[in-house]
Amino acid sequence: MGTEEQSSQKTTGKVAPATGKLGVMVVGLGAVATTMIAGVEAVRRGLAKPIGSLTQMGTIRLGKRTDSTSPLIKDFVPLADLNDLVFTGWDIFADNVYEAAAHAEVLDKELLAKLKPYLETIRPLPAVFDQYYVKRLNGTHIKKGKNKRDLANQVIDDIRAFKKTVDRVVIIWAASTEIFITPTAVHQSIEAFEKGLDNDDIAIAPSQIYAYAALSEGVPFANGAPNLTVDTPAMVELSKRNAAPICGKDFKTGQTLMKTVLAPAFKARLLGIKGWFSTNILGNRDGEVLDDPQSFKTKEESKLGSLDYILQPELYPDLYKNLYHKIRINYYPPRGDDKEAWDNIDIFGWLGYPMQIKVNFLCRDSILAAPIALDLVLFLDLAKRTPELCSIGIQEWLSFYLKSPQSAPGLYPEHDLFIQSMKLKNTLRHIMGAGLITHLGLEYYD
Ligand SMILES: NC(=O)c1ccc[n+]([C@@H]2O[C@H](COP(=O)([O-])OP(=O)(O)OC[C@H]3O[C@@H](n4cnc5c(N)ncnc54)[C@H](O)[C@@H]3O)[C@@H](O)[C@H]2O)c1
């Protein structure tokens, strides 16, 4: 009889324990980063709950449904404890994390006041920045160097200095979206990239300089924005060579989260889609940066991909071949971080009869992104300690969190949230030597 569980293939070694301090270096101490850091401190002090974080609140079923064994994920896999996280970061503004959080206006003043003494101690290191890559920003807290190689070496020095104070380090990009860049010859190998650093190649944006520095130091790197960053052959090669796991791109938070929940449902029921119009208003600094057409283009590409991959129009031409997909992001300062998103979906059913669905999501951008950033940090640190994961480069099992997930060359990315969730949990079961869950379950009817 087919069982619901499938024994996992042998894992190649034990996951190392999460002993000591985990240093978290955040590139960009803006709305998302400060909401994550302040949130972690609030949770550590018992002031709030880590809602939205799978690593903190999620459970994982082990064995058969009749076994009733569902431990917390953090009790099943050895994750760093929140009390062991130590934060630092880089920003183009010198504001400490308290000032930056107050400026972002995501968390209320009373909570920030309670956390102020701690948040004030976290001050950004000077950033690698060039306005060519983010047109709407102009910072003052910036590294100077004779070329991009020199800047990368300065970031490496920052990482080495921080490493002396903690046991392990993870880096996450939560900085502004850079202009759209397509990979060039400089991105094809580590050697070409290093020459590009020496020659100040224009296709090497600041985010790639941080990524190069992190991976050179064997430090895992997550990319929360849609920039190229670690999504190039050169960075994948460096990631594998130095056992520094990577993942990207772009936190999957509001509208795309909804899209990757709804689209699989339509496809599963063979409902056709004629058009999908998505628009947003957003008034935070991210919205201001995305108001620049070149940064918007990077975001647009990241948001557009999901539907095509989920719906597979080549397999279902009658349902999805002529789908018109349009995305707009409008900068509207009065709303600050409280984004409002509208989706109009023109679907059709039996015999082609049309129907419409409207989704109006009044969300809080950084409240949705902060737990994702935290989970990515904790899971990348886990990957670094897992012999089977640390040297494979891209951590596709973390696609669950990402709008435009990186995947192996020639392999299409998996966007369906529920497949992503199953993949993530089965990866955790696998590395711990537990049986995988297939959901077959004929044995219950034996
Ligand atoms: N909030 C969300 O729901 C969400 C979802 C998906 C992706 N993102 C992405 O996450 C990123 C951060 O979003 P946010 O709302 O916190 O934006 P934000 O503007 O509040 O913060 C970004 C910070 O990065 C800094 N920065 C810019 N370039 C830098 C550089 N080269 N080095 C160091 N610091 C630099 C800025 O000064 C700013 O403080 C953006 O790229 C955004 O598109 C956010």
Side-chain angles (χ1 to χ4, degrees):
M1 236 4 192
T3 74
E4 201 175 13
E5 230 196 334
Q6 180 192 311
S7 53
S8 181
Q9 289 158 357
K10 271 247 169 306
T11 47
T12 49
K14 267 189 115 57
V15 183
T19 33
K21 297 284 178 202
L22 173 63
V24 183
M25 303 187 89
V26 190
V27 192
L29 292 168
V32 173
T34 58
T35 306
M36 169 181 70
I37 297 170
V40 166
E41 180 63 2
V43 172
R44 291 198 281 221
R45 298 224 211 138
L47 299 172
K49 293 248 185 288
I51 314 267
S53 163
L54 189 70
T55 59
Q56 303 308 303
M57 301 189 81
T59 61
I60 184 161
R61 190 187 118 201
L62 303 174
K64 301 195 187 320
R65 264 182 277 167
T66 42
D67 293 349
S68 301
T69 309
S70 292
L72 283 170
I73 286 175
K74 64 177 179 171
D75 293 336
F76 176 58
V77 288
L79 295 176
D81 190 278
L82 293 193
N83 289 311
D84 291 328
L85 300 192
V86 181
F87 292 99
T88 185
W90 295 269
D91 205 286
I92 67 169
F93 300 108
D95 293 355
N96 63 48
V97 168
Y98 172 76
E99 291 162 337
H103 178 264
E105 292 185 327
V106 177
L107 301 175
D108 56 44
K109 291 194 175 70
E110 296 79 65
L111 179 63
L112 283 182
K114 287 186 193 149
L115 306 172
K116 186 173 177 188
Y118 168 73
L119 297 178
E120 277 180 336
T121 62
I122 308 169
R123 300 175 176 282
L125 297 154
V128 177
F129 182 76
D130 180 340
Q131 209 185 10
Y132 173 76
Y133 301 94
V134 184
K135 308 282 187 218
R136 296 284 156 96
L137 287 186
N138 199 357
T140 47
H141 193 54
I142 291 169
K143 292 189 193 309
K144 291 187 177 60
K146 69 177 196 302
N147 58 20
K148 290 183 179 176
R149 168 80 84 165
D150 184 15
L151 292 169
N153 287 337
Q154 291 181 43
V155 177
I156 288 174
D157 289 343
D158 290 344
I159 298 170
R160 287 186 180 164
F162 188 52
K163 267 184 173 171
K164 291 197 178 116
T165 67
V166 292
D167 297 273
R168 304 177 310 283
V169 175
V170 169
I171 298 183
I172 183 165
W173 175 273
S176 312
T177 300
E178 295 170 332
I179 58 169
F180 186 67
I181 296 176
T182 35
T184 64
V186 86
H187 299 112
Q188 301 312 314
S189 68
I190 300 174
E191 206 187 13
F193 189 87
E194 288 177 339
K195 273 205 194 104
L197 285 175
D198 292 332
N199 302 334
D200 274 336
D201 194 295
I202 196 156
I204 299 181
S207 68
Q208 298 172 36
I209 296 177
Y210 288 101
Y212 170 80
L215 303 180
S216 299
E217 284 296 293
V219 169
F221 190 101
N223 180 16
N227 331 305
L228 216 49
T229 317
V230 282
D231 193 8
T232 63
M235 290 304 113
V236 173
E237 191 187 336
L238 194 56
S239 158
K240 288 182 177 174
R241 185 202 276 177
N242 293 341
I246 51 174
C247 68
K249 310 178 284 217
D250 210 2
F251 302 126
K252 174 149 88 175
T253 49
Q255 199 164 41
T256 309
L257 174 69
M258 291 295 137
K259 217 167 246 181
T260 59
V261 170
L262 290 173
F266 301 143
K267 190 177 92 174
R269 284 292 167 92
L270 285 311
L271 292 170
I273 310 177
K274 213 166 140 199
W276 197 315
F277 177 67
S278 305
T279 187
N280 298 272
I281 53 175
L282 172 66
N284 59 16
R285 190 180 278 155
D286 186 30
E288 191 178 352
V289 167
L290 294 174
D291 209 34
D292 169 60
Q294 285 176 281
S295 286
F296 173 69
K297 166 96 175 123
T298 313
K299 194 58 132 184
E300 188 186 28
E301 290 281 323
S302 159
K303 282 178 157 253
L304 275 173
S306 59
L307 275 191
D308 238 22
Y309 287 114
I310 292 175
L311 299 172
Q312 298 175 292
E314 66 294 348
L315 288 184
Y316 302 99
D318 291 335
L319 302 178
Y320 309 119
K321 201 178 86 199
N322 298 319
L323 194 166
Y324 188 84
H325 189 194
K326 186 94 191 160
I327 294 167
R328 283 276 158 265
I329 299 176
N330 303 290
Y331 177 51
Y332 180 64
R335 285 294 176 90
D337 202 66
D338 297 346
K339 186 195 262 187
E340 182 159 5
W342 292 266
D343 283 86
N344 170 75
I345 315 157
D346 286 291
I347 65 170
F348 54 94
W350 185 240
L351 311 180
Y353 279 72
M355 294 170 262
Q356 287 187 354
I357 298 176
K358 316 274 179 187
V359 182
N360 181 198
F361 190 5
L362 286 88
C363 68
R364 293 174 190 264
D365 235 15
S366 304
I367 292 295
L368 293 170
I372 294 181
L374 172 65
D375 283 1
L376 286 174
V377 163
L378 296 181
F379 278 144
L380 276 188
D381 171 51
L382 173 74
K384 172 83 186 174
R385 287 179 283 109
T386 304
E388 212 172 341
L389 298 177
C390 68
S391 298
I392 61 170
I394 301 164
Q395 305 294 309
E396 205 202 343
W397 60 286
L398 297 175
S399 300
F400 177 65
Y401 295 106
L402 299 157
K403 220 180 278 184
S404 182
Q406 278 183 238
S407 49
L411 188 65
Y412 71 79
E414 191 50 76
H415 282 275
D416 178 325
L417 189 81
F418 300 103
I419 296 178
Q420 293 173 333
S421 157
M422 207 189 305
K423 189 177 173 69
L424 188 157
K425 289 191 172 182
N426 269 339
T427 303
L428 298 179
R429 292 180 184 108
H430 174 70
I431 63 171
M432 299 309 289
L436 308 183
I437 305 277
T438 64
H439 300 287
L440 182 57
L442 293 179
E443 75 271 32
Y444 302 124
Y445 299 90
D446 210 353

